[in-house]
Amino acid sequence: QLQLVESGGGLVQAGGSLRLSCAASRRTSTTHTMGWFRQASVKEREFVAKINWSGGSTLYTDSVKGRFTISRDNAKNMVYLQMNSLKPEDTAVYYCAAARAFGDPDYAYWGQGTQVTVSS
């Protein structure tokens, strides 16, 4: 069983930055693609970004391209989401998740989420 714990959320003004972290309970480097998702109130959960096991491949949703950067440190079992130029519409609960492969749409493991609030 893989457990994921997010941290780093908070309140920030528009234009500011936050870095989210996701700590995995065990090694994920050899098997898991890691992703970030978000869910705003009264909206469905949406994909934000993902990174393959080596860090060599990434994918972002269009609305965050050029502003967010996903990265991972396999030695520390950590995944990060650097969020710059934040906008009020980025306000949501952000979730870290793990999938078996980069092309796998099924994320089997999820964290509990961390709240990000961007004020205008």
PDB file of all heavy atoms in Angstrom, residues 36-55:
ATOM      1  N   TRP A  36      -0.642  15.533 -10.045  1.00  0.00           N
ATOM      2  CA  TRP A  36      -1.344  16.485  -9.199  1.00  0.00           C
ATOM      3  C   TRP A  36      -2.709  16.772  -9.826  1.00  0.00           C
ATOM      4  O   TRP A  36      -2.805  16.984 -11.043  1.00  0.00           O
ATOM      5  CB  TRP A  36      -0.569  17.785  -9.057  1.00  0.00           C
ATOM      6  CG  TRP A  36       0.629  17.699  -8.172  1.00  0.00           C
ATOM      7  CD1 TRP A  36       1.931  17.498  -8.560  1.00  0.00           C
ATOM      8  CD2 TRP A  36       0.658  17.822  -6.753  1.00  0.00           C
ATOM      9  NE1 TRP A  36       2.747  17.473  -7.459  1.00  0.00           N
ATOM     10  CE2 TRP A  36       1.997  17.673  -6.337  1.00  0.00           C
ATOM     11  CE3 TRP A  36      -0.314  18.033  -5.766  1.00  0.00           C
ATOM     12  CZ2 TRP A  36       2.376  17.738  -4.989  1.00  0.00           C
ATOM     13  CZ3 TRP A  36       0.065  18.101  -4.443  1.00  0.00           C
ATOM     14  CH2 TRP A  36       1.389  17.956  -4.064  1.00  0.00           C
ATOM     15  N   PHE A  37      -3.695  16.772  -8.980  1.00  0.00           N
ATOM     16  CA  PHE A  37      -5.057  17.106  -9.376  1.00  0.00           C
ATOM     17  C   PHE A  37      -5.571  18.198  -8.454  1.00  0.00           C
ATOM     18  O   PHE A  37      -4.986  18.452  -7.402  1.00  0.00           O
ATOM     19  CB  PHE A  37      -5.964  15.871  -9.271  1.00  0.00           C
ATOM     20  CG  PHE A  37      -5.646  14.789 -10.257  1.00  0.00           C
ATOM     21  CD1 PHE A  37      -4.542  13.968 -10.084  1.00  0.00           C
ATOM     22  CD2 PHE A  37      -6.445  14.593 -11.371  1.00  0.00           C
ATOM     23  CE1 PHE A  37      -4.240  12.970 -10.992  1.00  0.00           C
ATOM     24  CE2 PHE A  37      -6.160  13.598 -12.289  1.00  0.00           C
ATOM     25  CZ  PHE A  37      -5.064  12.780 -12.097  1.00  0.00           C
ATOM     26  N   ARG A  38      -6.661  18.834  -8.834  1.00  0.00           N
ATOM     27  CA  ARG A  38      -7.267  19.828  -7.962  1.00  0.00           C
ATOM     28  C   ARG A  38      -8.779  19.792  -8.092  1.00  0.00           C
ATOM     29  O   ARG A  38      -9.319  19.377  -9.121  1.00  0.00           O
ATOM     30  CB  ARG A  38      -6.744  21.231  -8.265  1.00  0.00           C
ATOM     31  CG  ARG A  38      -7.113  21.759  -9.635  1.00  0.00           C
ATOM     32  CD  ARG A  38      -6.403  23.096  -9.884  1.00  0.00           C
ATOM     33  NE  ARG A  38      -6.724  23.656 -11.189  1.00  0.00           N
ATOM     34  CZ  ARG A  38      -6.145  24.735 -11.703  1.00  0.00           C
ATOM     35  NH1 ARG A  38      -5.184  25.380 -11.009  1.00  0.00           N
ATOM     36  NH2 ARG A  38      -6.497  25.188 -12.879  1.00  0.00           N
ATOM     37  N   GLN A  39      -9.422  20.206  -7.022  1.00  0.00           N
ATOM     38  CA  GLN A  39     -10.874  20.277  -7.024  1.00  0.00           C
ATOM     39  C   GLN A  39     -11.313  21.539  -6.311  1.00  0.00           C
ATOM     40  O   GLN A  39     -11.077  21.710  -5.111  1.00  0.00           O
ATOM     41  CB  GLN A  39     -11.491  19.051  -6.348  1.00  0.00           C
ATOM     42  CG  GLN A  39     -13.007  19.028  -6.440  1.00  0.00           C
ATOM     43  CD  GLN A  39     -13.594  17.695  -6.035  1.00  0.00           C
ATOM     44  OE1 GLN A  39     -12.936  16.865  -5.393  1.00  0.00           O
ATOM     45  NE2 GLN A  39     -14.837  17.448  -6.420  1.00  0.00           N
ATOM     46  N   ALA A  40     -11.933  22.425  -7.073  1.00  0.00           N
ATOM     47  CA  ALA A  40     -12.509  23.629  -6.510  1.00  0.00           C
ATOM     48  C   ALA A  40     -13.930  23.323  -6.032  1.00  0.00           C
ATOM     49  O   ALA A  40     -14.546  22.372  -6.500  1.00  0.00           O
ATOM     50  CB  ALA A  40     -12.524  24.749  -7.543  1.00  0.00           C
ATOM     51  N   SER A  41     -14.420  24.132  -5.120  1.00  0.00           N
ATOM     52  CA  SER A  41     -15.767  23.889  -4.619  1.00  0.00           C
ATOM     53  C   SER A  41     -16.757  23.939  -5.772  1.00  0.00           C
ATOM     54  O   SER A  41     -16.607  24.725  -6.707  1.00  0.00           O
ATOM     55  CB  SER A  41     -16.122  24.929  -3.569  1.00  0.00           C
ATOM     56  OG  SER A  41     -16.045  26.227  -4.102  1.00  0.00           O
ATOM     57  N   VAL A  42     -17.744  23.099  -5.724  1.00  0.00           N
ATOM     58  CA  VAL A  42     -18.816  22.922  -6.706  1.00  0.00           C
ATOM     59  C   VAL A  42     -18.297  22.576  -8.095  1.00  0.00           C
ATOM     60  O   VAL A  42     -19.030  22.669  -9.089  1.00  0.00           O
ATOM     61  CB  VAL A  42     -19.751  24.161  -6.792  1.00  0.00           C
ATOM     62  CG1 VAL A  42     -20.323  24.496  -5.435  1.00  0.00           C
ATOM     63  CG2 VAL A  42     -19.049  25.350  -7.423  1.00  0.00           C
ATOM     64  N   LYS A  43     -17.041  22.127  -8.196  1.00  0.00           N
ATOM     65  CA  LYS A  43     -16.517  21.682  -9.483  1.00  0.00           C
ATOM     66  C   LYS A  43     -15.997  20.259  -9.359  1.00  0.00           C
ATOM     67  O   LYS A  43     -15.710  19.773  -8.266  1.00  0.00           O
ATOM     68  CB  LYS A  43     -15.392  22.614  -9.951  1.00  0.00           C
ATOM     69  CG  LYS A  43     -15.853  23.996 -10.375  1.00  0.00           C
ATOM     70  CD  LYS A  43     -14.705  24.773 -10.977  1.00  0.00           C
ATOM     71  CE  LYS A  43     -15.153  26.131 -11.485  1.00  0.00           C
ATOM     72  NZ  LYS A  43     -14.019  26.893 -12.091  1.00  0.00           N
ATOM     73  N   GLU A  44     -15.846  19.615 -10.495  1.00  0.00           N
ATOM     74  CA  GLU A  44     -15.285  18.277 -10.501  1.00  0.00           C
ATOM     75  C   GLU A  44     -13.763  18.348 -10.369  1.00  0.00           C
ATOM     76  O   GLU A  44     -13.140  19.356 -10.727  1.00  0.00           O
ATOM     77  CB  GLU A  44     -15.659  17.552 -11.800  1.00  0.00           C
ATOM     78  CG  GLU A  44     -17.148  17.235 -11.919  1.00  0.00           C
ATOM     79  CD  GLU A  44     -17.452  16.373 -13.135  1.00  0.00           C
ATOM     80  OE1 GLU A  44     -16.538  16.123 -13.927  1.00  0.00           O
ATOM     81  OE2 GLU A  44     -18.613  15.949 -13.278  1.00  0.00           O
ATOM     82  N   ARG A  45     -13.180  17.282  -9.895  1.00  0.00           N
ATOM     83  CA  ARG A  45     -11.725  17.207  -9.793  1.00  0.00           C
ATOM     84  C   ARG A  45     -11.125  17.229 -11.195  1.00  0.00           C
ATOM     85  O   ARG A  45     -11.641  16.575 -12.113  1.00  0.00           O
ATOM     86  CB  ARG A  45     -11.313  15.926  -9.075  1.00  0.00           C
ATOM     87  CG  ARG A  45      -9.834  15.802  -8.807  1.00  0.00           C
ATOM     88  CD  ARG A  45      -9.581  14.639  -7.887  1.00  0.00           C
ATOM     89  NE  ARG A  45     -10.052  13.386  -8.458  1.00  0.00           N
ATOM     90  CZ  ARG A  45     -10.252  12.277  -7.751  1.00  0.00           C
ATOM     91  NH1 ARG A  45     -10.040  12.291  -6.432  1.00  0.00           N
ATOM     92  NH2 ARG A  45     -10.660  11.176  -8.347  1.00  0.00           N
ATOM     93  N   GLU A  46     -10.050  17.981 -11.344  1.00  0.00           N
ATOM     94  CA  GLU A  46      -9.414  18.084 -12.663  1.00  0.00           C
ATOM     95  C   GLU A  46      -7.922  17.795 -12.564  1.00  0.00           C
ATOM     96  O   GLU A  46      -7.272  18.045 -11.544  1.00  0.00           O
ATOM     97  CB  GLU A  46      -9.633  19.479 -13.268  1.00  0.00           C
ATOM     98  CG  GLU A  46      -8.974  20.612 -12.512  1.00  0.00           C
ATOM     99  CD  GLU A  46      -9.008  21.934 -13.272  1.00  0.00           C
ATOM    100  OE1 GLU A  46      -9.298  21.947 -14.481  1.00  0.00           O
ATOM    101  OE2 GLU A  46      -8.722  22.965 -12.630  1.00  0.00           O
ATOM    102  N   PHE A  47      -7.394  17.294 -13.659  1.00  0.00           N
ATOM    103  CA  PHE A  47      -5.973  17.007 -13.797  1.00  0.00           C
ATOM    104  C   PHE A  47      -5.200  18.311 -13.884  1.00  0.00           C
ATOM    105  O   PHE A  47      -5.615  19.248 -14.560  1.00  0.00           O
ATOM    106  CB  PHE A  47      -5.742  16.155 -15.040  1.00  0.00           C
ATOM    107  CG  PHE A  47      -4.314  16.073 -15.479  1.00  0.00           C
ATOM    108  CD1 PHE A  47      -3.432  15.214 -14.849  1.00  0.00           C
ATOM    109  CD2 PHE A  47      -3.834  16.873 -16.501  1.00  0.00           C
ATOM    110  CE1 PHE A  47      -2.104  15.131 -15.244  1.00  0.00           C
ATOM    111  CE2 PHE A  47      -2.521  16.806 -16.921  1.00  0.00           C
ATOM    112  CZ  PHE A  47      -1.654  15.924 -16.285  1.00  0.00           C
ATOM    113  N   VAL A  48      -4.042  18.358 -13.206  1.00  0.00           N
ATOM    114  CA  VAL A  48      -3.186  19.535 -13.269  1.00  0.00           C
ATOM    115  C   VAL A  48      -1.871  19.225 -13.978  1.00  0.00           C
ATOM    116  O   VAL A  48      -1.496  19.899 -14.935  1.00  0.00           O
ATOM    117  CB  VAL A  48      -2.892  20.085 -11.859  1.00  0.00           C
ATOM    118  CG1 VAL A  48      -1.905  21.256 -11.932  1.00  0.00           C
ATOM    119  CG2 VAL A  48      -4.185  20.508 -11.174  1.00  0.00           C
ATOM    120  N   ALA A  49      -1.166  18.190 -13.511  1.00  0.00           N
ATOM    121  CA  ALA A  49       0.137  17.863 -14.075  1.00  0.00           C
ATOM    122  C   ALA A  49       0.513  16.454 -13.679  1.00  0.00           C
ATOM    123  O   ALA A  49      -0.002  15.910 -12.699  1.00  0.00           O
ATOM    124  CB  ALA A  49       1.196  18.838 -13.570  1.00  0.00           C
ATOM    125  N   LYS A  50       1.430  15.864 -14.471  1.00  0.00           N
ATOM    126  CA  LYS A  50       1.959  14.555 -14.114  1.00  0.00           C
ATOM    127  C   LYS A  50       3.405  14.450 -14.554  1.00  0.00           C
ATOM    128  O   LYS A  50       3.848  15.182 -15.452  1.00  0.00           O
ATOM    129  CB  LYS A  50       1.118  13.424 -14.692  1.00  0.00           C
ATOM    130  CG  LYS A  50       1.101  13.330 -16.200  1.00  0.00           C
ATOM    131  CD  LYS A  50       0.268  12.123 -16.629  1.00  0.00           C
ATOM    132  CE  LYS A  50       0.165  12.022 -18.140  1.00  0.00           C
ATOM    133  NZ  LYS A  50      -0.650  10.828 -18.569  1.00  0.00           N
ATOM    134  N   ILE A  51       4.108  13.493 -13.960  1.00  0.00           N
ATOM    135  CA  ILE A  51       5.517  13.286 -14.252  1.00  0.00           C
ATOM    136  C   ILE A  51       5.800  11.797 -14.206  1.00  0.00           C
ATOM    137  O   ILE A  51       5.302  11.082 -13.339  1.00  0.00           O
ATOM    138  CB  ILE A  51       6.390  14.071 -13.245  1.00  0.00           C
ATOM    139  CG1 ILE A  51       7.866  14.014 -13.612  1.00  0.00           C
ATOM    140  CG2 ILE A  51       6.168  13.589 -11.813  1.00  0.00           C
ATOM    141  CD1 ILE A  51       8.723  15.007 -12.820  1.00  0.00           C
ATOM    142  N   ASN A  52       6.589  11.325 -15.165  1.00  0.00           N
ATOM    143  CA  ASN A  52       6.861   9.891 -15.193  1.00  0.00           C
ATOM    144  C   ASN A  52       7.910   9.512 -14.153  1.00  0.00           C
ATOM    145  O   ASN A  52       8.467  10.368 -13.459  1.00  0.00           O
ATOM    146  CB  ASN A  52       7.260   9.452 -16.598  1.00  0.00           C
ATOM    147  CG  ASN A  52       8.691   9.846 -16.944  1.00  0.00           C
ATOM    148  OD1 ASN A  52       9.206  10.843 -16.452  1.00  0.00           O
ATOM    149  ND2 ASN A  52       9.323   9.057 -17.790  1.00  0.00           N
ATOM    150  N   TRP A  53       8.243   8.220 -14.082  1.00  0.00           N
ATOM    151  CA  TRP A  53       9.073   7.733 -12.983  1.00  0.00           C
ATOM    152  C   TRP A  53      10.465   8.358 -12.982  1.00  0.00           C
ATOM    153  O   TRP A  53      11.043   8.612 -11.933  1.00  0.00           O
ATOM    154  CB  TRP A  53       9.186   6.213 -13.045  1.00  0.00           C
ATOM    155  CG  TRP A  53       9.961   5.737 -14.240  1.00  0.00           C
ATOM    156  CD1 TRP A  53       9.502   5.490 -15.498  1.00  0.00           C
ATOM    157  CD2 TRP A  53      11.371   5.481 -14.298  1.00  0.00           C
ATOM    158  NE1 TRP A  53      10.510   5.102 -16.326  1.00  0.00           N
ATOM    159  CE2 TRP A  53      11.671   5.076 -15.625  1.00  0.00           C
ATOM    160  CE3 TRP A  53      12.406   5.537 -13.356  1.00  0.00           C
ATOM    161  CZ2 TRP A  53      12.961   4.747 -16.027  1.00  0.00           C
ATOM    162  CZ3 TRP A  53      13.689   5.202 -13.749  1.00  0.00           C
ATOM    163  CH2 TRP A  53      13.955   4.815 -15.088  1.00  0.00           C
ATOM    164  N   SER A  54      10.998   8.658 -14.142  1.00  0.00           N
ATOM    165  CA  SER A  54      12.354   9.197 -14.213  1.00  0.00           C
ATOM    166  C   SER A  54      12.383  10.714 -14.142  1.00  0.00           C
ATOM    167  O   SER A  54      13.450  11.308 -13.955  1.00  0.00           O
ATOM    168  CB  SER A  54      13.022   8.751 -15.507  1.00  0.00           C
ATOM    169  OG  SER A  54      12.419   9.388 -16.625  1.00  0.00           O
ATOM    170  N   GLY A  55      11.223  11.340 -14.327  1.00  0.00           N
ATOM    171  CA  GLY A  55      11.186  12.792 -14.398  1.00  0.00           C
ATOM    172  C   GLY A  55      11.427  13.327 -15.786  1.00  0.00           C
ATOM    173  O   GLY A  55      11.408  14.533 -16.012  1.00  0.00           O
TER     174      GLY A  55
END
